[in-house]
Amino acid sequence: MGIGTDFLEAYERVQVDAGLGEGASLVRDLASWKGFVAACAEGYDDVLPEYFHDLRVRDAIERGLVAESLMAMEGFEDFSRAVCVIDERFREIATVRISLADPSGFSWWHHVVPGRGGGDFADGLRRHFGVTISVIEG
């Protein structure tokens, strides 16, 4: 990835300005998003509230993607491409649509869930959203 120190620091500033505090990291955010998507591919095996909590890393990444201060910087295209690759994988996995009370308040990744998951996750989806997914054994 051709992302230099200036871009990494500017990404951190965007996150700090959004109120996330010190220690935001583009490298960590991308790794977390990629790891989350990999976990979803295996069958998300945690509870529904944790799933939505885990999606917050993608929200942070989006703040970087839409930050005008980052768009003109060297490294933005590499950052954007890296996110796109992970997003495309998530779109392949998260194929079950859920209906949110206020859909306009959430980005696309909040409107879909993976089609496979652990029993607790599947139960939460059924109770809260009326959707059924395949339950993995584990």
Side-chain angles (χ1 to χ4, degrees), residues 25-57:
S25 165
L26 172 93
V27 173
R28 188 173 50 244
D29 286 354
L30 285 176
S32 292
W33 180 229
K34 186 175 183 178
F36 172 77
V37 171
C40 288
E42 295 295 316
Y44 190 78
D45 196 21
D46 209 330
V47 294
L48 186 59
E50 188 63 25
Y51 177 83
F52 287 113
H53 180 269
D54 290 346
L55 283 178
R56 289 177 29 191
V57 71

Side-chain angles (χ1 to χ4, degrees), residues 48-113:
L48 186 59
E50 188 63 25
Y51 177 83
F52 287 113
H53 180 269
D54 290 346
L55 283 178
R56 289 177 29 191
V57 71
R58 182 57 182 82
D59 295 335
I61 290 168
E62 187 68 8
R63 275 189 294 280
L65 288 171
V66 301
E68 289 184 21
S69 62
L70 298 181
M71 288 180 188
M73 291 186 72
E74 185 176 331
F76 182 82
E77 291 301 319
D78 289 330
F79 165 55
S80 180
R81 263 193 303 279
V83 174
C84 187
V85 168
I86 303 167
D87 283 354
E88 286 307 310
R89 180 68 178 130
F90 187 64
R91 288 179 196 274
E92 293 169 0
I93 296 161
T95 57
V96 177
R97 293 202 57 81
I98 57 175
S99 295
L100 301 173
D102 178 13
S104 65
F106 297 94
S107 298
W108 67 266
W109 52 90
H110 288 277
H111 295 259
V112 289
V113 295

Side-chain angles (χ1 to χ4, degrees), residues 117-130:
D120 290 340
F121 181 60
D123 288 344
L125 287 170
R126 189 180 68 257
R127 276 194 322 274
H128 292 283
F129 297 103

